Structure formats: structure tokens, C-alpha cells
Amino acid sequence: MTVTWTSGYGIGEAVPFVEWGPNGGQPIRSPAGTLTFDRNSMCGEPARTVGWRDPGFIHTSFLKELWPNTLYTYKLGHILSNGTYVWSQEYKFRASPYPGQNSLQRVVIFGDMGKAEADGSNEYNDFQHGSLNTTKQLIRDLNNIDIAFLIGDICYANGYLSQWDQFTAQVEPIASTVPFMIASGNHERDWPGSGSFYGNKDSGGECGVLAETMFYVPTENRAKFWYSTDYGMFRFCVADTEHDWREGTEQYQFIEHCLASVDRQKQPWLIFLAHRVLGYSSATFYADTGSFGEPMGRESLQKLWQKYKVDIAIYGHAHHYERTCPIYQNICTNKEKQHYKGAMNGTIHVVAGGGGAGLAEFTTLNTKWSFFKDYDYGFVKLTAFDHSSLLFEYKKSSDGKVYDSFTISRDYRDILACTVDSCPSTNLAS
């Protein structure tokens, strides 16, 4: 378990730590490391100029040797140079289940959230009003959420650094209670000449520094924001669409390793997450290019999704909700819409970019692989009941009610079963 927070105390002023322990038990203390960055770390304006604000100091502590499923309490502390203590309020979290553990596990996933002023006052980039409803619904249902993923376009600060503080304050009740994982999006990373796959200025000169420093995720190199993470019966392979994912690249090799290395008998639910739509989308801005998804996306990755039998791929970037049939090479492999049994023979692609930013239009063209569209704000919830039963739900942020759902029921032998382009080579020897 990793705890990250910000303060105004540098390493010469105070020693940061976390005091934590089982609920009602004897607490211990774990030290925290301290990072920061300066104006020279920014790639361009406004982050280097009018948008710059000193971020203070970012502290990260690793809470180790947790007992699975155990409720813990913790609070953040600083020992000042004069020996006095500064404390935060007390928080609680429940430790993750052991990888492969058979128990109820609930995951929330959404993209493109942003932040907004609750009192309605104006602010820079004032188009993420839906984020307040999303935040409110997640807090309201927090007792029924075990882990959350915000898959890119996190706060839309776009180089005005103080807006990161506004965003983190908005999501603190969630992020302090359950693991709050992120992916990198164009509004965190993209900047010309900075190594991003896209040469636009969507990050406002941040070029990934804010997201990579303020949030800890288990990457080998936080400047390359792709990683895998396990939660009980789930394996999540999180791609970084702002770096090249095409065949032969370092990230492509990571994606294949992440998909190939999971033990599906213990972790049957294999989920691919990314910001831009590398699969299928009916968004107007994708349809107008004729690609119905990020150009070169599924052409590069669909054989991996098929070979390793990815259950669901979930994206943001298009600000709405959409779900496809199980699909491979533009062909629906299963016409069922709500209750899948046995092998699906393809991957279901979902766009869950309605976390809060201004909504995106759908094309009027008939995309036959699209089963459900919703021009509204919302989020996705996955509930694994056991190794054989998964419930998928799409909920609107306005009321928290379910507007689309499906179930998957299968056994391990169904995962092993051969389908098109998913079987290992065999021979005739007996």
C-alpha cells in the first residue's frame, strides 16, 4: 500500500512519516520519501510562466507486509525541527485481497474527470461540471467500492498547477480510502518535442511531470506510464497511449508480457485499460477519420487481445459511454448482449470517458458492433463474485442508477478453449 500527500515541509524543515496499524491495534511508523520539482521541469507555457505555482513537497510512504482484507487506520505526520509534531486527520483503508483470492471484489473505472467549483463560481477551463456528480456518487457508494481507476485526463489543469490541488481535494475522500489508480492521458503528457507520441500542446507544458510525481503507480519508470497491477481475481494491464504502443516498441513488449504472464486459473478476469480508444468508438471525431478508434490502435494490438483472451478493454478520451459486442477484426464474435456464457471468442470494448468533462457527440453512422451508447456522464463498475461470475454495470453520475449491464459466466476450461488466433501450436504426437 502506498500513501502519497503534499505539504509545505521540505526535508530540512520536517521529517515526514505515516503512523498506521490494524484498526484498534498497536500502530507503527513508516518513513516517507520527499520529492518536488521546479519551473525548469516544465516543458512550456503556461506551466513555465503564468500557470506556474510552487507545488510544495510530495511525500510517499510504503506500508508493507499488510494482512489481506484487514482494516487499517493511518494518519500522516511530520516531526518539525524543534521536535513538535504536525498531524493529519485519521483515515481508514482495507488491505487488498491476496492475488487470486476468491471473494467479492468491486472495481470502478472512468476517464476524463476534471474538477469544478461546488458553488458554481467560474474558473479556468470551466467545462468539467459533471465531475462533481461523479465524485458525489463514488463517495456515496464508497462502502461498495474496493479500488478505482481514473484512466487519463485527470484534472485538466493544462499548465495551471494550482488546479491539481483543487482536484486532489475533490477526490480526497475516495483516494484516502481505496486504491486510486491513474493512467496517463493527453492532458497530462502531450507536448511537442517532449517524446510524447502526439505532438500537440494538450498538457499546457506539464509534459507528464505533475501526474508522474503526484500519483504513485507501480511503473518501472514513471516517465513511461504503463504498468500492471493485480487486485484479487483481476489482472489490469494499463497502457500509456501517449507513448508509442505499436508492434516492436518497448510498450508493446510490456503489454504482451502483462497479458501473457497472468495465471488465468487464479486471476480469470483480464482487463486492458488505456486513455485513448485503441479499440472501437463511434465518437464523431473518430468516425470522421474513418478509423472508428485511434489510428493504428487495434491494428497493432488486437492480435494480443485475442491471443491472450482479454475480457474487457476500457478507454476514456471520448466523453460519453459506449459498449461493443465481443469483437475481433471488426466482426462480432458473439451476438448475445447481456448474458455471456462460456467462451466469448472476442474482447468487449468499452468507452467510459464520461467522468465529468464536456460531452462528445456520436456519429450518425450505423456502427453495427456498437451495442449501447449514452451521451451522458457516468462510470463503469465491475463486480467479481468468484472465479466464474462477473457483473459489468454502467451507472450515470446524475443518479447512480444502472443504465447498462451484462454478466459473464464461465469456467476455467472456457478460458483455455481455442478460438480464432488464440491457440498455441500443436503437433500430432500422442
Side-chain angles (χ1 to χ4, degrees), residues 54 59 133 136 168 217 228 241 263-264 277 336 356:
D54 191 315
H59 312 290
N133 277 342
K136 180 171 63 178
T168 53
V217 296
S228 66
T241 57
D263 180 349
R264 299 296 290 276
V277 183
E336 173 59 41

Side-chain angles (χ1 to χ4, degrees), residues 48-68:
R48 284 179 76 104
T49 56
V50 295
W52 170 256
R53 199 200 68 168
D54 191 315
F57 301 92
I58 299 95
H59 312 290
T60 301
S61 181
F62 299 93
L63 314 187
K64 300 180 179 181
E65 298 184 4
L66 301 177
W67 292 77

Side-chain angles (χ1 to χ4, degrees), residues 262-277:
V262 61
D263 180 349
R264 299 296 290 276
Q265 189 275 322
K266 296 178 177 62
Q267 294 177 294
W269 309 114
L270 182 54
I271 313 297
F272 179 82
L273 302 178
H275 177 63
R276 294 176 186 262
V277 183

Side-chain angles (χ1 to χ4, degrees), residues 26-73:
Q26 187 67 30
I28 61 173
R29 291 181 181 177
S30 293
T34 298
L35 296 174
T36 189
F37 52 87
D38 59 26
R39 193 188 300 255
N40 293 330
S41 299
M42 303 292 100
C43 288
E45 60 181 6
R48 284 179 76 104
T49 56
V50 295
W52 170 256
R53 199 200 68 168
D54 191 315
F57 301 92
I58 299 95
H59 312 290
T60 301
S61 181
F62 299 93
L63 314 187
K64 300 180 179 181
E65 298 184 4
L66 301 177
W67 292 77
N69 316 303
T70 299
L71 183 64
Y72 286 88
T73 61

Side-chain angles (χ1 to χ4, degrees), residues 345-375:
N345 303 325
T347 298
I348 296 172
H349 294 261
V350 173
V351 176
L359 296 170
E361 299 283 348
F362 289 105
T363 181
T364 56
L365 297 173
N366 179 23
T367 46
K368 294 182 179 179
W369 35 258
S370 181
F371 275 180
F372 194 99
K373 301 182 184 75
D374 189 37
Y375 180 78

Side-chain angles (χ1 to χ4, degrees), residues 405-426:
S405 66
F406 64 84
T407 60
I408 302 175
S409 301
R410 64 159 186 238
D411 296 325
Y412 179 48
R413 63 183 178 181
D414 298 317
I415 301 174
L416 296 177
C418 290
T419 185
V420 176
D421 292 345
S422 71
C423 286
S425 299
T426 59

